[in-house]
Amino acid sequence: MGTASSLVSPGEVIEDGYGGEGGEACEIPVEVKPKARLLRSSFRRGPRVIGASFKSTGSVDLEYAAEYERLRKEYEIFRVSKNNEISSMQKKEAKLDEENKRLRAELQALQKTYQKILREKESALEAKYQAMERAATFEHDRDKVKRQFKIFRETKEKEIQDLLRAKRDSEAKLQQLQAQGIQVYDLNDSDSDDNQTTVTAAGTQCEYWSGGVLGSEPSMGSMMQLQQTFRGPEFAHSLIDVEGPFANVSRDDWDAAVASLLQVSPHVPQALWSNTVRCYHIFTQETRAEFDIFIKKHSPVLRRMCEGLGHFYLNVCFPEENAASYRAERKQEIERSSVCVLFAGSTVTSSVLEDCEEAFVKNPDGHPLVLYLRTEEDNLTGPTRQLLERVNAADKAAKIKVVDHGGSAEEGADLIFFQLEKVIKQELLGLEGAEADSMDSGMEEGREEDSGDVLWDLHDEQEQIESYQQACSSSSSSSSSPQLGFQKYIDRLNDMIAAPPPTPPLLVSGGPGSGKSLLLSKWIEQQQKHSPNTLFLYHFVGRPLSTSSESVLIIKRLTIKLLQHFWSISGLSMEPSKILEEFPRWLERLSARHQGNIIIIIDSIDQIQQAERHMKWLIDPLPVNVRVVVSVKVETCPQAWRLWPTLHLDPLSPKEVRSVVNAECQAMDTQLTKDQEKKLEKHCRSASTCNALYVTLLGRMLISVSGLSVERSLEQCLQCQDTMSLYRLALKMTLNSLNTDRERHIMREMLCLVCASHNGVSESEVLDLFPELELPVLSTLLYRLNRLCIVALRCGLIRFQHLQAWEAARLEFLGGGSSSAAYREKLIQYFSQQLGQDRVTWRVADELPWLLQQQEDRTKLQLSLLNLFVSQNLYKRGHFSELLAYWQYVGKDKSSMATEYFNSLKHYEKSCDGEDSMTKLANLYETLGRFLKDLGLPSQAVAPLQRSLEIRETALDPDHPSVACSLHQLAGVYVQWKKYGNAEQLYKQALEISENAYGAEHASVARELESLAALYQKQNKYEQAEKLRKRSVKIRQKTARQKGHMYGFTLLRRRALQLEELTLGKETSDSAKTLNELGVLYYLQNNMDAAKLFLTRSLEMRQRVLGPDHPDCAQSLNNLAALHTERREYETAEDMYERALDIRKKALSPDHPSLAYTLKHLAMLYKRRGKLEKAMPLYELSLEIREKSFGPKHPSVATALVNLAVIYCQLKKHSEALPLYERALKVYEDSLGRSHPRVGETLKNLAVLSYEEGDFEKAAELYKRAMEIKEAEPSLVCGNAPSRHSSGGDTFSLKGPAPLPHAHR
């Protein structure tokens, strides 16, 4: 082996095998094993022996030399290696130094950048703070400008009212001069103010060229024309463009009529006080026999009829012998009464005279009146004659129904019954014709049709209306309005509502009784007056466990109230979880269509069961035009809600306390002394004694409790340190003030029953439960309890006014609720007895299952639910979640519940014989099928629906309208199964039956059309769906104005009767104007014959009195022409329009709106009849008038441009039509926005024009943009409402013939 030095020589170049760089070769030290043998042999040998050979000694020296050489080489290699390492390390060090310098430079650059960013951040923060200061200054200036503008607007509105008043006075004087034969004409001041440009409350100009689609033929210049241009709730409060005659219509009557016309939900009868038909009877000893027979024989019939329709019935009378002691109660009952009946004989007493004075003389128009006069002989005494003469003199409208009878008392009672039954049906409940004659279950079905398939509870709605009205009346009373200091809170609420979006819900907090409900009701009342564009949805939550505190019913009611303003309540689920889940989506969808704000107010939201879980939508961001206001008690407010903007109601100041108490005392002509005021001020210093409820109750207790002086009452009240103890004292003092132990017992028992019930008890139920109780005593008791803020009547039920009153009664009479079970059992027995008599009213369905659930009696609860009429009543009133909760409580799931119902129905079917019972059976099967369908069990819903169909076809007739109902419901199941072919066939059969039974324009037909349209929509058959939907909307609008359909027309009929009386005198211009107005009113009632009669009389009288060329004659001609157009008598209409146009051209200025009105309708008529050459100059002239009236950039000018362009297109003058379309498009885009429906319609017309000219690419581009705008609109079942900025929808479409009259967009 060689040494390591032989591996490489110094100076040679080697390559690093590991990829390193080449360099000089270095000597690499190699560990070499020593030659052990040589060394061992050398040392083992001893001293050299004399005589040894020289060769051996030399060999040893050579070996040492070799070893030395080897070691030297190894050392040299080691040294070179270390030198190489040192040089390598030095190179690495130099490299690291360079890297270090580079990193230091980068660090310095980063430090400079950081300093720069820091300086920029500081400058940005400074700019932000400056911007916030500028924003705060801007908001302050904005609020200042808003306040100034509000003052300016109110000032100008007052000036406008003064000018209008002066104008009317001038017109009256002018007419007097004309009546004297002096003819005065003023070209700038026409006879009518129709179609004048006014400014709505929203600040936008009202389009005088109003009407439906211009191809449609609007009716008179009146309400039907305006109904077609309805743009939201602001309509009823905005100034109205009308054709002359409505200048005389009462504003309240007009608003109520319009609001009723445009509602879809069932209307609450206004003639009934608190859902009760209250018959106030006035009789003498001579007519006592008739009264007694009526009460025993006929009163139960009337009660059963009213209760079957969901109302209470109550006979109110005060016998002569003790009537004098009930003077205040009698006056109150007469005010509340629905109808007053006077049983008159030969003599009268003082109490009878007083009641007749109040009911028949002072307010003869307040309610229907029936006068029964017993005339066996002509022996009337002087007072009786005088009374009858005064009654006759007060009855100017001849409204009193007189029953003159000389026979037996029983016959007289029968006559009174027939007359009273007719009054109740027709005047109080609003039933007409066949409905009034046949009081069967079809009435409920008819009501249900108005709402489509949505189940609506009239009682829940009326309870909310009465809660709001009672709160408003309380907040408007002398003791609660300025004294409580609400104005400062109202101003703050207004500021919070006006804050820019996004805005979380606003929280109104305060202690119990601090006045939150009064504040909200007063604020709503003011906002409705000052913000007509705003839609208010409110709900006042009652005590826990009541119907008003159930979250599903609250959200369902708010959803339906929201939907009814948009002509659609279809598509609403009945499933409780879906109702809560879908409400935010409905809110977002519909808020996009509403042109004003939507404000939702929920009072006492913390009383809702599991409010935080069921009201999750409150936490989500609200739409920009939606505001939510909720009120809570401080101690029960959920933690997550405490971060919302909050308005806290502070305790009353000493001055406010003194004002409230003094106001209450002054109302009863009482005044506190200085010492008493000081005691009161000293006592009312804590939060619990300074709230609004405590102070109001204290003030009333000082003056309302008989038998105690003010000083004594004050001394007792000052011992109470909170509202609860004061309420308990009020209950004790009321008990002590009663005359007998029996009255005290009845009061205690009645309040205990109210505490134990679900929603309260009615007066008639109290009288049934306590047969010994007389109505005067009950009336007095309720009067006192209401005066002390303990109870109130809502929807005919006695309820506690405040939660503290309920708790005080529980503590005082029920031992904190431990004795409630006994009173619940008493109510269970009462309602079970009604159930056994086959009387399933809404009260039985409301109370009995709930009471059994509270008693934890699952067996009886299941039996009550299996009474099919109980479940049917709950379901048909929309109490879907309540019904499900009962079944869950008894331990039944959906499938087993369905089986129980089906078995019960089969058992009931065995006992059915006649046609009536089979009809009821079919209704029950249908209800069960609908219930199961809503539960999401379509497979189980089919069997009962098919059975219902079979029964109706067999028992009634295959073409009976009820068969159509069964087909409709069965089709709904097939839609859920996505079997669209089967569903379409069933819907078409139902449509055919409905059309044959009711005619082509009935609400049932509209319902089938809507269902078919929705089905086609699911199948993407959009053209067919749109066609059916438009027809449905047209029917809905027409049925809404049919005679007697809604309460608004009761007002119109009343106004018509008043006007008829004015036309019986001599011929004057005023009488002619009244006749014209009468014609319009009868037209609104769809009574065309009467309308034509009065309009013709008006025209003839005006021609005789004013002359044939007077502008008023043109007005009558206009209205008659519109009526003939409605009746499709086009030749007569054309002649009258031309005569009216000639008169107005002579009498009015060329750009007068009335002239434009006649031009427009005559042009429409020419177009309808195909006389396009005659229509064209009229449209050109109308365009000129619009440009002069509004300026060239107003949307109404664009509408006129489109109308004229359509005429040119139909005359094949495409080159003349194109610039008109383009100009109209630009005006629409600039004034309404590029995504407005008007822009889409114009683009569509332009696309058709481009297509006809052969420019297919441009046509496709325009059509695509038009479709994008159409698809971007919120789609609801009944189409889209026009914008408040639109010009009324009076444009043509290039496609197809002109629409039929009253086509609504």
Side-chain angles (χ1 to χ4, degrees):
M1 289 179 66
T3 63
S5 60
S6 64
L7 298 175
V8 65
S9 300
E12 292 184 10
V13 177
I14 65 173
E15 292 182 359
D16 185 0
Y18 298 97
E21 295 180 356
E24 288 188 0
C26 56
E27 295 184 32
I28 301 173
V30 179
E31 182 180 357
V32 180
K33 293 183 179 179
K35 295 182 179 180
R37 183 180 303 172
L38 176 61
L39 292 175
R40 283 196 300 271
S41 63
S42 300
F43 287 104
R44 270 200 305 266
R45 290 175 182 173
R48 184 176 176 191
V49 181
I50 298 175
S53 73
F54 177 78
K55 181 179 180 182
S56 301
T57 305
S59 301
V60 172
D61 293 337
L62 288 173
E63 288 180 3
Y64 277 113
E67 184 70 19
Y68 167 77
E69 188 65 24
R70 185 185 64 78
L71 291 175
R72 187 185 64 78
K73 287 181 179 180
E74 289 179 356
Y75 167 74
E76 191 66 23
I77 291 170
F78 177 76
R79 183 182 63 77
V80 171
S81 174
K82 290 303 178 184
N83 288 337
N84 289 340
E85 288 180 7
I86 290 171
S87 63
S88 176
M89 292 293 292
Q90 288 173 346
K91 289 178 182 178
K92 288 182 180 178
E93 183 180 5
K95 195 182 227 181
L96 289 173
D97 287 340
E98 291 177 2
E99 185 70 18
N100 191 21
K101 288 178 183 179
R102 186 181 65 78
L103 291 176
R104 283 179 180 279
E106 289 181 1
L107 179 61
Q108 290 175 358
L110 288 173
Q111 287 176 341
K112 289 180 181 179
T113 305
Y114 169 72
Q115 294 297 331
K116 182 181 178 182
I117 291 173
L118 198 59
R119 288 193 298 271
E120 290 177 353
K121 177 184 176 184
E122 290 173 353
S123 61
L125 285 173
E126 185 178 356
K128 175 185 175 183
Y129 294 140
Q130 291 175 356
M132 291 174 66
E133 291 176 2
R134 289 196 300 271
T137 305
F138 170 76
E139 288 181 0
H140 175 74
D141 294 342
R142 183 194 64 186
D143 294 339
K144 182 179 178 181
V145 171
K146 283 172 65 177
R147 289 192 295 271
Q148 291 174 345
F149 175 72
K150 180 181 178 183
I151 295 171
F152 171 79
R153 185 187 67 188
E154 291 174 350
T155 305
K156 292 301 176 185
E157 286 177 352
K158 187 175 183 303
E159 291 177 1
I160 291 171
Q161 294 299 324
D162 293 340
L163 288 172
L164 290 174
R165 196 177 298 111
K167 177 185 175 183
R168 287 194 293 270
D169 295 340
S170 300
E171 287 179 346
K173 293 178 182 178
L174 179 63
Q175 290 176 354
Q176 289 176 2
L177 292 173
Q178 292 170 346
Q180 296 172 6
I182 303 173
Q183 298 294 328
V184 181
Y185 293 94
D186 185 356
L187 297 179
N188 295 321
D189 188 13
S190 172
D191 58 292
S192 70
D193 57 353
D194 63 321
N195 302 315
Q196 60 188 349
T197 305
T198 58
V199 179
T200 66
T204 59
Q205 281 192 321
C206 289
E207 162 72 36
Y208 74 82
W209 199 293
S210 55
V213 180
L214 189 56
S216 70
E217 185 61 33
S219 57
M220 349 252 331
S222 60
M223 193 158 123
M224 288 321 299
Q225 167 193 343
L226 294 169
Q227 182 183 342
Q228 293 173 353
T229 60
F230 174 68
R231 294 175 175 84
E234 73 274 15
F235 170 75
H237 298 273
S238 63
L239 296 176
I240 298 179
D241 304 330
V242 295
E243 172 74 0
F246 280 95
N248 290 340
V249 176
S250 165
R251 186 74 210 177
D252 295 335
D253 287 3
W254 175 265
D255 288 349
V258 172
S260 295
L261 279 173
L262 298 178
Q263 277 189 345
V264 185
S265 63
H267 195 93
V268 177
Q270 301 294 317
L272 304 184
W273 187 87
S274 194
N275 194 39
T276 306
V277 177
R278 308 177 77 89
C279 291
Y280 190 89
H281 301 282
I282 309 169
F283 60 90
T284 63
Q285 288 298 329
E286 295 177 73
T287 54
R288 182 68 182 250
E290 286 90 337
F291 173 74
D292 290 340
I293 294 171
F294 173 81
I295 293 297
K296 292 178 182 178
K297 180 179 178 182
H298 301 297
S299 179
V301 178
L302 293 176
R303 177 176 177 179
R304 194 177 184 94
M305 177 190 74
C306 293
E307 289 180 350
L309 293 172
H311 308 289
F312 296 110
Y313 175 83
L314 189 66
N315 290 305
V316 182
C317 61
F318 293 84
E320 287 182 286
E321 52 270 17
N322 54 4
S325 57
Y326 297 108
R327 183 169 280 105
E329 290 83 351
R330 282 159 46 207
K331 184 177 180 180
Q332 176 180 275
E333 289 294 347
I334 289 174
E335 291 175 356
R336 294 177 174 181
S337 63
S338 310
V339 57
C340 291
V341 183
L342 171 59
F343 297 77
S346 59
T347 60
V348 291
T349 60
S350 59
S351 62
V352 171
L353 287 174
E354 290 172 1
D355 288 349
C356 291
E357 181 76 18
E358 194 70 32
F360 285 76
V361 178
K362 289 184 179 179
N363 188 22
D365 296 329
H367 36 236
L369 303 171
V370 177
L371 172 59
Y372 170 77
L373 184 60
R374 186 174 183 180
T375 55
E376 295 179 352
E377 302 173 359
D378 190 12
N379 58 350
L380 298 179
T381 60
T384 304
R385 290 184 182 278
Q386 292 177 5
L387 173 63
L388 294 177
E389 288 173 0
R390 294 185 64 194
V391 169
N392 188 47
D395 183 27
K396 296 179 181 179
K399 290 184 178 180
I400 297 179
K401 283 76 176 173
V402 180
V403 179
D404 194 351
H405 179 61
S408 65
E410 187 171 357
E411 292 174 352
D414 293 342
L415 292 173
I416 294 170
F417 166 71
F418 294 138
Q419 191 66 53
L420 199 54
E421 183 185 35
K422 183 178 179 181
V423 169
I424 292 173
K425 288 179 180 179
Q426 296 184 3
E427 297 190 34
L428 300 184
L429 302 184
L431 307 179
E432 297 283 347
E435 281 184 323
D437 296 333
S438 57
M439 307 297 297
D440 54 11
S441 59
M443 180 59 199
E444 291 185 3
E445 291 178 7
R447 288 185 178 181
E448 188 180 318
E449 283 177 1
D450 292 338
S451 303
D453 290 330
V454 174
L455 304 167
W456 176 269
D457 191 0
L458 205 62
H459 308 102
D460 293 347
E461 182 62 23
Q462 183 158 357
E463 179 189 347
Q464 289 303 312
I465 292 173
E466 292 184 14
S467 297
Y468 168 68
Q469 290 173 346
Q470 288 179 8
C472 285
S473 62
S474 299
S475 64
S476 301
S477 65
S478 60
S479 63
S480 301
S481 184
Q483 290 81 5
L484 293 177
F486 278 163
Q487 192 57 46
K488 58 184 178 183
Y489 297 122
I490 290 175
D491 294 339
R492 288 172 62 189
L493 258 179
N494 291 335
D495 293 339
M496 295 167 77
I497 287 294
T503 304
L506 306 179
L507 210 61
V508 178
S509 68
S514 57
K516 300 182 290 294
S517 301
L518 299 183
L519 171 65
L520 290 177
S521 61
K522 186 174 181 62
W523 178 70
I524 294 170
E525 189 177 31
Q526 289 190 8
Q527 285 290 312
Q528 286 178 332
K529 292 178 181 177
H530 299 135
S531 302
N533 294 341
T534 302
L535 172 60
F536 288 89
L537 305 174
Y538 57 81
H539 188 90
F540 291 84
V541 181
R543 65 178 177 87
L545 300 180
S546 65
T547 301
S548 63
S549 65
E550 292 185 12
S551 56
V552 176
L553 292 178
I554 292 173
I555 297 300
K556 179 190 163 194
R557 175 181 172 271
L558 292 178
T559 306
I560 295 178
K561 294 293 287 183
L562 187 66
L563 289 171
Q564 74 177 14
H565 289 275
F566 298 92
W567 282 93
S568 171
I569 48 178
S570 299
L572 180 62
S573 172
M574 291 291 104
E575 180 72 33
S577 59
K578 289 185 179 179
I579 289 176
L580 297 173
E581 179 184 342
E582 292 174 359
F583 177 70
R585 291 198 283 271
W586 280 115
L587 187 62
E588 183 176 358
R589 246 173 114 185
L590 297 174
S591 63
R593 295 191 51 185
H594 186 56
Q595 299 301 324
N597 290 330
I598 297 176
I599 299 181
I600 300 173
I601 301 101
I602 304 179
D603 179 50
S604 301
I605 194 172
D606 50 337
Q607 299 297 327
I608 296 176
Q609 303 162 27
Q610 299 178 337
E612 196 169 3
R613 183 167 71 89
H614 291 148
M615 297 290 170
K616 288 181 180 178
W617 59 275
L618 290 172
I619 304 175
D620 299 332
L622 297 170
V624 292
N625 61 335
V626 175
R627 300 289 186 273
V628 176
V629 182
V630 298
S631 71
V632 294
K633 289 188 289 189
V634 177
E635 58 271 17
T636 57
C637 178
Q639 192 65 34
W641 297 359
R642 296 178 186 267
L643 301 176
W644 295 344
T646 303
L647 175 65
H648 184 75
L649 271 61
D650 300 320
L652 300 181
S653 65
K655 181 181 178 181
E656 291 169 342
V657 170
R658 192 166 55 251
S659 299
V660 171
V661 175
N662 285 333
E664 291 290 351
C665 293
Q666 289 172 6
M668 300 296 289
D669 296 328
T670 307
Q671 190 171 2
L672 297 180
T673 64
K674 295 293 183 183
D675 290 340
Q676 291 170 345
E677 286 185 358
K678 287 181 181 178
K679 289 181 182 179
L680 184 65
E681 186 175 344
K682 183 178 179 181
H683 174 71
C684 296
R685 289 184 177 178
S686 65
S688 60
T689 58
C690 286
N691 65 67
L693 179 57
Y694 181 93
V695 176
T696 303
L697 179 58
L698 189 149
R700 295 190 178 183
M701 289 178 65
L702 295 179
I703 55 175
S704 297
V705 180
S706 59
L708 289 179
S709 63
V710 173
E711 181 66 31
R712 178 60 179 161
S713 298
L714 180 62
E715 182 181 344
Q716 293 187 16
C717 291
L718 295 184
Q719 296 176 4
C720 302
Q721 299 302 319
D722 55 25
T723 309
M724 184 71 65
S725 57
L726 191 63
Y727 259 126
R728 296 185 70 174
L729 177 62
L731 290 170
K732 292 176 183 177
M733 294 172 71
T734 306
L735 277 176
N736 295 332
S737 68
L738 298 177
N739 298 325
T740 63
D741 291 339
R742 183 175 64 86
E743 292 179 3
R744 298 185 189 97
H745 171 73
I746 288 174
M747 172 186 157
R748 190 181 296 108
E749 293 290 300
M750 181 184 72
L751 292 179
C752 289
L753 289 172
V754 175
C755 280
S757 66
H758 188 195
N759 293 312
V761 294
S762 69
E763 295 167 280
S764 55
E765 290 166 356
V766 171
L767 293 172
D768 289 342
L769 288 164
F770 304 100
E772 72 279 9
L773 178 63
E774 297 176 353
L775 187 123
V777 177
L778 176 62
S779 180
T780 303
L781 183 58
L782 293 177
Y783 179 81
R784 293 183 184 179
L785 293 175
N786 179 264
R787 178 69 185 157
L788 291 175
C789 305
I790 296 175
V791 300
L793 278 168
R794 288 181 192 157
C795 196
L797 298 174
I798 304 170
R799 308 170 191 247
F800 288 101
Q801 284 195 33
H802 301 279
L803 186 60
Q804 293 94 320
W806 174 65
E807 292 175 348
R810 288 177 69 245
L811 292 172
E812 189 69 23
F813 301 137
L814 289 174
S818 57
S819 305
S820 298
Y823 292 96
R824 283 198 292 264
E825 193 61 39
K826 189 171 184 178
L827 288 171
I828 288 172
Q829 292 178 2
Y830 172 75
F831 289 115
S832 298
Q833 184 180 3
Q834 288 192 350
L835 199 63
Q837 297 172 356
D838 197 21
R839 288 181 59 196
V840 181
T841 63
W842 69 279
R843 285 289 297 148
V844 174
D846 256 5
E847 292 289 336
L848 186 58
W850 184 86
L851 291 167
L852 292 170
Q853 184 186 29
Q854 297 301 309
Q855 293 291 82
E856 300 182 357
D857 193 338
R858 288 178 171 82
T859 304
K860 289 185 178 179
L861 174 58
Q862 183 171 344
L863 288 175
S864 69
L865 294 175
L866 288 176
N867 184 306
L868 303 167
F869 296 101
V870 171
S871 297
Q872 183 185 45
N873 193 293
L874 282 172
Y875 174 75
K876 284 204 167 186
R877 290 191 296 113
H879 290 226
F880 192 92
S881 57
E882 192 176 344
L883 190 55
L884 280 181
Y886 291 144
W887 279 107
Q888 290 172 1
Y889 181 76
V890 299
K892 299 289 184 180
D893 59 8
K894 295 179 181 180
S895 298
S896 56
M897 176 194 67
T899 304
E900 293 279 357
Y901 272 133
F902 207 71
N903 293 336
S904 181
L905 269 172
K906 287 182 177 178
H907 179 72
Y908 176 77
E909 186 173 353
K910 295 177 181 178
S911 61
C912 293
D913 291 329
E915 182 178 320
D916 291 339
S917 59
M918 293 302 291
T919 302
K920 290 182 180 179
L921 177 64
N923 291 340
L924 291 173
Y925 270 117
E926 182 184 320
T927 302
L928 176 59
R930 293 179 62 179
F931 183 39
L932 297 176
K933 183 183 71 173
D934 290 338
L935 276 175
L937 302 173
S939 57
Q940 291 177 279
V942 169
L945 288 175
Q946 285 181 338
R947 182 60 184 145
S948 170
L949 177 61
E950 293 170 4
I951 293 172
R952 285 171 172 169
E953 287 180 336
T954 305
L956 300 173
D957 187 78
D959 294 329
H960 194 274
S962 298
V963 175
C965 294
S966 295
L967 292 169
H968 176 89
Q969 298 301 335
L970 200 54
V973 176
Y974 283 118
V975 170
Q976 284 189 353
W977 276 344
K978 300 187 184 301
K979 296 182 178 181
Y980 298 137
N982 295 342
E984 181 180 358
Q985 183 181 0
L986 293 174
Y987 277 138
K988 287 182 176 179
Q989 290 179 22
L991 176 62
E992 183 181 356
I993 293 173
S994 298
E995 286 179 332
N996 292 335
Y998 300 118
E1001 295 181 343
H1002 191 268
S1004 300
V1005 176
R1007 183 179 68 167
E1008 304 304 335
L1009 290 170
E1010 288 171 2
S1011 301
L1012 263 175
L1015 180 64
Y1016 287 145
Q1017 189 87 14
K1018 292 178 183 291
Q1019 297 174 280
N1020 299 327
K1021 299 177 181 179
Y1022 299 114
E1023 292 186 4
Q1024 296 177 355
E1026 188 66 19
K1027 182 179 178 182
L1028 295 177
R1029 190 170 291 126
K1030 286 181 178 179
R1031 184 184 165 196
S1032 169
V1033 171
K1034 182 181 174 183
I1035 294 172
R1036 290 284 188 195
Q1037 290 175 334
K1038 193 160 186 177
T1039 55
R1041 63 185 177 93
Q1042 285 179 351
K1043 182 179 178 182
H1045 185 67
M1046 289 197 179
Y1047 172 68
F1049 284 108
T1050 303
L1051 297 174
L1052 291 177
R1053 285 200 298 272
R1054 187 181 304 166
R1055 178 65 174 155
L1057 290 171
Q1058 293 171 356
L1059 293 174
E1060 283 186 36
E1061 298 170 17
L1062 301 176
T1063 64
L1064 301 177
K1066 58 184 179 180
E1067 290 189 352
T1068 63
S1069 59
D1070 286 338
S1071 296
K1073 190 173 185 179
T1074 302
L1075 287 167
N1076 185 63
E1077 184 179 346
L1078 262 173
V1080 175
L1081 287 170
Y1082 278 114
Y1083 178 89
L1084 294 179
Q1085 299 176 49
N1086 210 29
N1087 192 341
M1088 297 296 177
D1089 294 333
K1092 182 179 178 181
L1093 173 65
F1094 284 105
L1095 289 174
T1096 305
R1097 285 180 58 192
S1098 170
L1099 175 62
E1100 293 172 352
M1101 188 178 293
R1102 280 174 167 172
Q1103 288 174 338
R1104 287 193 296 269
V1105 174
L1106 303 174
D1109 295 330
H1110 193 275
D1112 282 357
C1113 296
Q1115 184 191 58
S1116 296
L1117 286 167
N1118 243 329
N1119 288 341
L1120 273 169
L1123 184 141
H1124 286 295
T1125 304
E1126 178 78 10
R1127 302 175 75 165
R1128 303 182 186 278
E1129 298 168 354
Y1130 297 132
E1131 291 185 5
T1132 308
E1134 182 179 330
D1135 178 61
M1136 289 186 170
Y1137 272 135
E1138 289 174 347
R1139 288 166 58 190
L1141 182 61
D1142 291 339
I1143 294 172
R1144 285 186 166 169
K1145 278 183 177 180
K1146 296 175 184 177
L1148 304 178
S1149 60
D1151 58 347
H1152 195 280
S1154 295
L1155 180 60
Y1157 182 87
T1158 306
L1159 281 170
K1160 167 194 169 182
H1161 292 289
L1162 182 55
M1164 288 164 54
L1165 189 58
Y1166 282 152
K1167 179 182 177 295
R1168 177 183 292 276
R1169 303 192 69 193
K1171 300 179 180 181
L1172 301 180
E1173 295 292 346
K1174 298 181 73 173
M1176 184 175 65
L1178 299 183
Y1179 280 118
E1180 290 172 346
L1181 184 55
S1182 71
L1183 174 60
E1184 294 177 11
I1185 294 175
R1186 289 194 183 201
E1187 288 178 332
K1188 291 178 182 178
S1189 300
F1190 298 109
K1193 296 184 179 180
H1194 194 273
S1196 63
V1197 175
T1199 302
L1201 288 166
V1202 172
N1203 293 335
L1204 185 55
V1206 170
I1207 292 292
Y1208 284 152
C1209 286
Q1210 292 180 343
L1211 292 172
K1212 304 301 180 184
K1213 298 180 180 181
H1214 295 166
S1215 59
E1216 297 179 32
L1218 182 60
L1220 298 180
Y1221 273 134
E1222 292 174 344
R1223 182 182 162 198
L1225 179 63
K1226 178 130 186 2
V1227 173
Y1228 276 144
E1229 288 179 338
D1230 292 343
S1231 59
L1232 305 178
R1234 293 177 60 83
S1235 59
H1236 194 273
R1238 283 277 174 216
V1239 177
E1241 293 167 4
T1242 309
L1243 286 168
K1244 193 173 180 182
N1245 285 349
L1246 264 173
V1248 175
L1249 182 59
S1250 300
Y1251 182 86
E1252 290 182 354
E1253 290 189 333
D1255 193 348
F1256 302 125
E1257 291 185 4
K1258 183 179 179 182
E1261 182 181 351
L1262 292 170
Y1263 190 79
K1264 180 181 177 183
R1265 187 182 161 199
M1267 289 300 99
E1268 288 174 354
I1269 293 174
K1270 181 176 178 63
E1271 291 171 1
E1273 297 178 48
S1275 176
L1276 287 179
V1277 172
C1278 289
N1280 297 312
S1283 164
R1284 64 174 172 178
H1285 300 294
S1286 78
S1287 52
D1290 51 348
T1291 54
F1292 302 141
S1293 171
L1294 285 172
K1295 293 175 162 185
L1300 293 174
H1302 301 300
H1304 186 73
R1305 187 184 176 280

